[in-house]
Amino acid sequence: MSNLKVLITAIAIGTMGMAQAQSYRLPGQHDQQNADLLANQEFIGDQINLSVNNYINFDEEEEPELDIYTEGWDSKLVNCYNGVDVPDRMVIDVSNFCMPSPGYVTSPYGYRKRFRREHKGIDLKVNVGDTIRAAFDGRVRITNFERKGYGNYVVLRHTNDLETVYGHLSKFLVEPDQYVKAGDPIALGGNTGRSTGPHLHFETRYMGYAINPAAIFDFANQTTHTDTYTFDKRTYKQARNFDPKANAEYAKAYMKEHPATNVRGRNVSALPGAANDSGTSTKSSSSKASTVTVRKGDSLSKIASRNHTTVAKLCKLNGITTKSKIVPGQKLKVK
């Protein structure tokens, strides 16, 4: 037999032997081998998580999920959701908020016979130069000018899926794509565009639907009605607990604290309580104390709004929760 035939025969016999060994392996042996293989496997998922945590620092408070900044983000329209399927009902968290301005309501949301159109926001009394603040955490989608409408305006898209619009501004303090926290200065109040006097036009929108801001905010008490707002396509135009008398009482108190609001049509940015070019109030920045005393009828929301901060920050500073009871005379840190 030639060397080649011997080699072929040897390979064939070896292959048959392997086949027979595989064919006659007992079930118990196979199960044990499989268990050993599983026991020796390393948890690659843990390795990946460890690697990511070691080399990437995620700050959830500073940067939200990016998917909320996709739909119509590059559009220059205030309503960039035309044709989008909007849910009939949605619960929205509004607990981490700041009032955009302490001004009282000068014109409510709703249909205006004079102009034969809907007023899709609420007008708040401000002076030219007053600080306008972000209502919630979010990112700036638009800073723009519209001569026959909003004048200078800012649109913010928030981490709770709302968008807010701020119109008739005199100066921008933010830029498109800039991330802001609730209470951050974003602009100065003004009288630009289609406006008969200094005021802030403020809108709250959910996927293009212009919600009545009074459904979310209690402007007379400078707070939100509740920690959540339920958007409903049937009721989003309705206010909650809107009380003209309460607004009138708040307006009187506001006028006492802001006498410059009696001046119409002129720049009052240098007067006490107005904002300077940095967007901070000259009165509040110099006279606001680091602690405040709780007044009768106060809530954490009211205190946060008066001091241009958020309830979450108050709780963190004072080691309390949103459910903690506060009493008149109690001292709270505000910064």
Side-chain angles (χ1 to χ4, degrees):
M1 184 181 293
S2 66
N3 291 335
L4 178 61
K5 289 183 178 180
V6 171
L7 178 62
I8 293 172
T9 302
I11 292 173
I13 292 172
T15 304
M16 290 174 62
M18 290 174 63
Q20 288 177 348
Q22 289 177 354
S23 299
Y24 289 102
R25 174 170 289 142
L26 296 176
Q29 292 175 314
H30 178 79
D31 291 344
Q32 183 60 47
Q33 184 185 39
N34 187 54
D36 291 341
L37 287 171
L38 290 174
N40 289 328
Q41 285 181 353
E42 296 184 6
F43 293 99
I44 190 67
D46 290 344
Q47 289 185 356
I48 292 173
N49 290 337
L50 181 62
S51 175
V52 168
N53 290 333
N54 281 342
Y55 294 101
I56 303 176
N57 291 322
F58 290 104
D59 191 339
E60 294 180 356
E61 288 189 358
E62 293 301 325
E63 295 292 341
E65 294 295 333
L66 294 179
D67 58 359
I68 68 167
Y69 304 119
T70 55
E71 187 67 52
W73 182 256
D74 294 326
S75 171
K76 296 303 179 184
L77 300 175
V78 170
N79 180 9
C80 62
Y81 290 96
N82 283 327
V84 175
D85 186 23
V86 180
D88 291 331
R89 195 170 185 272
M90 179 63 65
V91 177
I92 301 169
D93 184 355
V94 294
S95 59
N96 185 34
F97 76 97
C98 179
M99 301 300 289
S101 165
Y104 57 91
V105 176
T106 59
S107 183
Y109 173 101
Y111 184 73
R112 287 180 166 178
K113 292 182 180 180
R114 178 182 175 186
F115 300 108
R116 296 181 180 179
R117 61 180 175 84
E118 289 281 337
H119 185 223
K120 295 183 178 180
I122 271 181
D123 290 345
L124 300 174
K125 181 59 187 172
V126 299
N127 297 318
V128 174
D130 278 356
T131 304
I132 308 303
R133 301 178 184 273
F136 305 102
D137 296 354
R139 193 179 294 278
V140 180
R141 182 164 70 84
I142 298 175
T143 59
N144 204 3
F145 176 74
E146 187 180 276
R147 183 172 63 86
K148 295 183 178 181
Y150 292 104
N152 289 319
Y153 67 96
V154 173
V155 179
L156 301 182
R157 183 171 295 180
H158 301 290
T159 55
N160 60 6
D161 292 329
L162 288 177
E163 285 197 330
T164 50
V165 184
Y166 310 77
H168 307 301
L169 310 169
S170 62
K171 182 177 181 179
F172 301 128
L173 300 177
V174 290
E175 298 177 347
D177 288 327
Q178 181 177 338
Y179 187 70
V180 296
K181 303 288 284 182
D184 283 352
I186 58 170
L188 303 183
N191 188 26
T192 58
R194 190 174 183 177
S195 173
T196 57
H199 71 280
L200 172 67
H201 174 80
F202 176 62
E203 295 183 12
T204 49
R205 290 175 174 261
Y206 175 68
M207 298 187 73
Y209 279 74
I211 300 165
N212 188 338
I216 300 174
F217 293 94
D218 180 352
F219 292 96
N221 291 298
Q222 294 287 284
T223 185
T224 53
H225 292 292
T226 51
D227 285 344
T228 60
Y229 164 72
T230 302
F231 167 81
D232 191 307
K233 286 182 178 179
R234 300 168 301 173
T235 60
Y236 72 94
K237 293 184 178 182
Q238 299 173 9
R240 280 197 288 179
N241 305 325
F242 180 70
D243 186 352
K245 290 184 178 179
N247 184 63
E249 288 300 315
Y250 177 69
K252 290 179 182 178
Y254 179 87
M255 294 289 277
K256 288 181 180 179
E257 292 186 10
H258 302 78
T261 54
N262 293 312
V263 182
R264 291 180 61 89
R266 60 178 263 230
N267 191 322
V268 291
S269 59
L271 296 177
N276 54 34
D277 287 345
S278 66
T280 56
S281 169
T282 56
K283 180 180 179 181
S284 60
S285 62
S286 61
S287 63
K288 286 292 181 183
S290 58
T291 60
V292 296
T293 302
V294 178
R295 308 173 191 169
K296 184 178 180 180
D298 263 351
S299 64
L300 289 174
S301 297
K302 289 183 182 180
I303 295 170
S305 182
R306 280 203 307 268
N307 292 276
H308 306 302
T309 186
T310 64
V311 171
K313 289 179 181 178
L314 281 181
C315 290
K316 186 176 181 180
L317 281 171
N318 294 279
I320 58 177
T321 70
T322 55
K323 296 182 179 179
S324 297
K325 185 178 180 180
I326 57 175
V327 295
Q330 181 179 345
K331 299 287 186 181
L332 291 177
K333 295 179 182 178
V334 292
K335 61 180 178 179

